[in-house]
Amino acid sequence: MFDAGNGWERLFRYSGVMDSATAIPTMRISPARDAQLWLSAFEASASRGVMLFLVGIRDLKQVNDLHGRETGNAVIAEIGQRIAAFAPTMAGAIMAARLPGREFLLIADATTAHEAEQIARKLLLLLGAPLQQKDGDLHISPRIGIALSSPGQSGGAILAAASAALAAAYSRKGRKYRFADSLDMVDALRNSKLDKGLRQALAQQEIAIHFQPQFDVASGRLVGAEALARWTHPDFGEIGAAELFAAADRCDLREELSYAIQKQAVGYAAAWPAAGSLHLSINLGAEELADDHAARLLAILDEAGFAFNRLTVELTEESIVRDFDLALSQLDMLRSRGVSVAIDDFGTGYSSLAYLKSLPLDYLKIDKGMTADISANPRDLIVLRAIIALGKALDLRIIAEGVEKAGQLDMLRAEGCDYFQGYLRSPPLSASQFQLFAEQQVG
């Protein structure tokens, strides 16, 4: 059996294979070498355990699409160099390897979960620092899946656990690392089925559009709706937008999925009652802010005969931070044609005042987490009041998400919020249900 060894230098002497882009050992799928061989030979015991850190570059495809593969390769190289520099600082470091695609692997002797968490935070801080490119700083979004071995667990099983944890980290907001648990393994099997079915679902037009109605706070009048994607999977039932886009990211199908959603949503909205001049809101992620996306979106509106000034594009703060200059140019193009722009989920991301004052914005959309307890928690109300005052000072209209109680609506009205959406008035509706709802409301 191969002797895994106990140190970074020993790994280098064993491997003899250096990745040309990153100058760290490469783990290849076939033939099985390096880290794969190490893992296949390893079995955890009560006296010998390991911890695995599986590092992924969440937005590598976006970098390749927006800046070219040469820049993408430069990003991989820089991340590899940072990992190579970081690994020797880890107590008991055993191995660093590059996996195919956008992932890197770090293996070290086992420690406590608390210490593993501290390592992950330091590594994320290092990897998340801006990358200097010819055209300016480039921001990326790394994620880490962490697996701590259990006695009797094989190296392959530990890697599978880390991989499942990384997949979970890709699809969650907030914390950018995730420890593996039994549920992650279940999720990994679920994700595999979703990934296999998504391409077929797109080809057979199985992605449905639901609409979340939006209302004027002062009058209660219906003013529009936000388009939401849904997929009814044969095994798992209804799949929401977050999980759907996570699967698309894993399969490199985000562009195809976004196009299908936007085309459907605009087509349905074009048939809404003309008298109401109802607005349609669609969500754009960082990956949709490609060089020609604004032109593609305008072409969809033209083809459907939907007035540009009835569309609002909603962007998360994170998507803007990824490439501010590109986002600005795309949003300027859309806004020059009458399309409105909203910041979505405000209060959950970077919440940068610099972006609020610099971008061509029309709406500020407050995340439901910021409105849920305003009637019971005075501190939440203070924060909400400050956000609304900030938006008003910047001449932005305010939309509140997740309004479920009359007391919430009363307080939003008192604070000067303009629009709201939530179960208080209506849950998301299918396209046909919303058509009927709109006809009844507009009359």
Side-chain angles (χ1 to χ4, degrees):
M1 180 177 285
F2 168 60
D3 180 5
N6 289 307
W8 178 259
E9 293 296 330
R10 184 162 189 171
L11 168 70
F12 272 77
R13 290 197 299 272
Y14 157 70
S15 173
V17 178
M18 309 292 285
D19 182 270
S20 60
T22 64
I24 68 174
T26 298
M27 179 173 121
R28 297 188 177 94
I29 299 301
S30 180
R33 300 178 67 174
D34 307 332
Q36 188 180 32
L37 178 58
W38 193 98
L39 290 166
S40 67
F42 179 80
E43 182 175 309
S45 66
S47 60
R48 179 78 197 283
V50 295
M51 54 183 179
L52 268 61
F53 297 83
L54 190 58
V55 181
I57 307 173
R58 183 185 183 191
D59 39 10
L60 181 60
K61 183 179 185 296
Q62 180 203 358
V63 171
N64 287 331
D65 290 344
L66 299 183
H67 304 285
R69 191 161 296 276
E70 182 179 351
T71 299
N73 289 337
V75 168
I76 294 173
E78 175 63 23
I79 293 300
Q81 290 169 10
R82 293 182 185 186
I83 289 175
F86 180 83
T89 70
M90 297 170 59
I94 296 171
M95 177 176 292
R98 178 185 166 195
L99 279 63
R102 58 182 179 177
E103 295 174 357
F104 294 85
L105 177 66
L106 283 168
I107 306 176
D109 289 329
T111 183
T112 66
H114 175 72
E115 290 175 343
E117 184 176 27
Q118 296 306 309
I119 291 171
R121 288 181 174 177
K122 291 177 182 177
L123 183 54
L124 284 169
L125 187 63
L126 175 67
L127 300 182
L131 284 75
Q132 295 182 350
Q133 301 294 317
K134 294 178 181 179
D135 299 330
D137 287 349
L138 183 64
H139 296 265
I140 63 164
S141 184
R143 295 290 189 272
I144 300 178
I146 310 167
L148 305 179
S149 65
S150 301
Q153 195 175 25
S154 69
I158 306 168
L159 179 60
S163 181
L166 178 61
Y170 277 139
S171 60
R172 71 188 296 187
K173 290 183 179 181
R175 187 174 295 177
K176 297 181 179 182
Y177 60 88
R178 170 76 177 248
F179 280 91
D181 57 33
S182 58
L183 291 178
D184 287 331
M185 297 305 293
V186 174
D187 289 343
L189 294 175
R190 175 186 174 94
N191 290 343
S192 177
K193 287 189 175 183
L194 291 177
D195 295 352
K196 290 178 181 177
L198 180 56
R199 191 177 298 276
Q200 180 179 350
L202 284 168
Q204 297 182 355
Q205 299 182 339
E206 295 175 359
I207 308 301
I209 304 299
H210 288 199
F211 293 98
Q212 173 65 64
Q214 297 174 326
F215 304 91
D216 181 84
V217 168
S219 67
R221 176 176 59 88
L222 178 69
V223 294
E226 176 185 1
L228 306 171
R230 296 290 184 267
W231 174 24
T232 302
H233 190 276
D235 295 328
F236 306 125
E238 186 174 280
I239 305 298
E243 193 171 11
L244 186 56
F245 274 97
D249 285 339
R250 293 191 297 270
C251 302
D252 287 339
L253 290 173
R254 175 176 274 269
E255 185 174 344
E256 292 88 339
L257 177 60
S258 295
Y259 180 80
I261 292 170
Q262 292 162 15
K263 190 172 179 62
Q264 278 195 82
V266 172
Y268 285 130
W272 291 348
S277 296
L278 299 177
H279 281 247
L280 169 67
S281 294
I282 61 173
N283 293 277
L284 297 184
E287 292 78 1
E288 281 85 67
L289 289 176
D291 289 331
D292 60 346
H293 183 81
R296 290 200 304 269
L297 182 55
L298 292 172
I300 291 174
L301 297 173
D302 263 333
E303 182 181 351
F306 190 75
F308 295 168
N309 63 4
R310 291 176 59 193
L311 179 71
T312 298
V313 294
E314 299 183 3
L315 302 100
T316 62
E317 297 167 73
E318 184 178 5
S319 67
I320 295 169
V321 169
R322 302 275 185 86
D323 195 322
F324 179 77
D325 291 336
L326 180 59
L328 184 61
S329 66
Q330 293 293 290
L331 297 180
D332 278 338
M333 179 186 295
L334 290 171
R335 206 157 178 261
S336 69
R337 303 295 297 276
V339 175
S340 297
V341 179
I343 288 288
D344 195 13
D345 296 339
F346 188 81
T348 63
Y350 295 87
S351 301
S352 171
L353 302 186
Y355 295 118
L356 282 184
K357 73 182 183 65
S358 302
L359 285 168
L361 300 175
D362 301 281
Y363 297 94
L364 189 156
K365 198 168 186 183
I366 303 174
D367 183 74
K368 61 183 178 182
M370 305 297 296
T371 62
D373 294 329
I374 56 173
S375 57
N377 190 327
R379 294 177 68 88
D380 281 7
L381 178 59
I382 291 171
V383 173
L384 177 74
R385 183 176 293 153
I387 292 174
I388 292 177
L390 173 64
K392 292 294 184 179
L394 293 171
D395 199 26
L396 303 178
R397 286 162 284 177
I398 311 298
I399 306 173
E401 296 180 307
V403 179
E404 299 181 357
K405 301 175 182 178
Q408 286 176 279
L409 181 59
D410 290 340
M411 299 183 84
L412 288 167
R413 184 183 296 112
E415 298 302 329
C417 182
D418 299 292
Y419 307 106
F420 76 97
Q421 62 187 63
Y423 278 71
L424 177 64
R425 281 291 301 271
S426 175
L429 304 172
S430 69
S432 59
Q433 289 173 332
F434 183 81
Q435 179 74 30
L436 179 60
F437 182 76
E439 291 171 354
Q440 293 171 342
Q441 293 289 312
V442 174

